[in-house]
Amino acid sequence: MINLQDKTNRPTIEEISEYVRNPVFMQFCSEIREEHKCIEKIAYSSCSWEKGWNIKFKKSGKSLCTVYPKEGYFTILIVIGKKEKPLVEEILPDCADELQNIYHQTQEGNGQRWLMIDIEDKESLYNDLLRLIQIRRHS
């Protein structure tokens, strides 16, 4: 089993998948790669909030999302900035109640909301997250 806190040993995406032990993790990574024609970058974060290895998805230098692996699930960080805000708020009423709550409870700072979304399965929250990433990609 890998140690996500060990800065000296960069894990592979497959090792991270074994750590997460949730098939939705690899499905999500594959879907983001294929849909947005981007590759993941496995990076070590030293920030005290989420220290350890994570996966960043970028397209044309723009961050689409960051994946924080957990045991049994994973957390997605997606930043909703000034450009995305009106588009996200337009679709928000059609999104899962859980996502609406996350959005409204996340404080806005410098015109951004840093949404942290836990994904365990491919229910409505998963599809809503893909919609947010799509908005982020095209804004």
Side-chain angles (χ1 to χ4, degrees):
M1 183 67 76
I2 63 168
N3 177 358
L4 292 179
Q5 306 303 312
D6 180 2
K7 190 176 184 175
T8 63
N9 187 19
R10 178 189 312 265
T12 64
I13 193 84
E14 291 78 13
E15 288 172 322
I16 293 173
S17 179
E18 288 173 24
Y19 173 83
V20 174
R21 294 184 335 271
N22 184 326
V24 177
F25 171 78
M26 284 303 272
Q27 291 170 11
F28 175 81
C29 292
S30 294
E31 204 161 334
I32 297 301
R33 270 194 305 264
E34 291 168 21
E35 176 72 23
H36 301 289
K37 307 293 185 252
C38 63
I39 57 169
E40 70 272 357
K41 180 182 177 193
I42 299 172
Y44 189 85
S45 173
S46 296
C47 75
S48 58
W49 189 74
E50 277 291 341
K51 190 174 186 174
W53 291 101
N54 59 52
I55 303 113
K56 297 180 186 306
F57 286 94
K58 290 185 176 185
K59 178 68 177 181
S60 304
K62 183 175 192 169
S63 173
L64 299 179
C65 66
T66 302
V67 180
Y68 295 94
K70 309 284 198 285
E71 290 188 61
Y73 69 102
F74 53 101
T75 300
I76 305 293
L77 165 65
I78 182 162
V79 178
I80 305 302
K82 291 176 185 173
K83 290 181 190 173
E84 297 89 7
K85 182 179 178 178
L87 298 169
V88 169
E89 289 183 352
E90 185 178 312
I91 69 159
L92 204 55
D94 298 329
C95 294
D97 290 344
E98 187 178 354
L99 181 65
Q100 291 181 46
N101 291 336
I102 291 168
Y103 184 84
H104 292 300
Q105 291 173 7
T106 302
Q107 234 178 348
E108 193 171 307
N110 295 327
Q112 298 180 327
R113 289 180 200 247
W114 291 43
L115 306 182
M116 297 296 288
I117 304 166
D118 293 337
I119 300 293
E120 296 178 46
D121 52 41
K122 286 187 79 170
E123 298 300 319
S124 61
L125 200 54
Y126 181 91
N127 292 323
D128 290 343
L129 175 63
L130 294 178
R131 291 170 73 190
L132 294 182
I133 293 169
Q134 189 77 14
I135 288 171
R136 178 113 179 112
R137 168 75 175 92
H138 295 289
S139 64

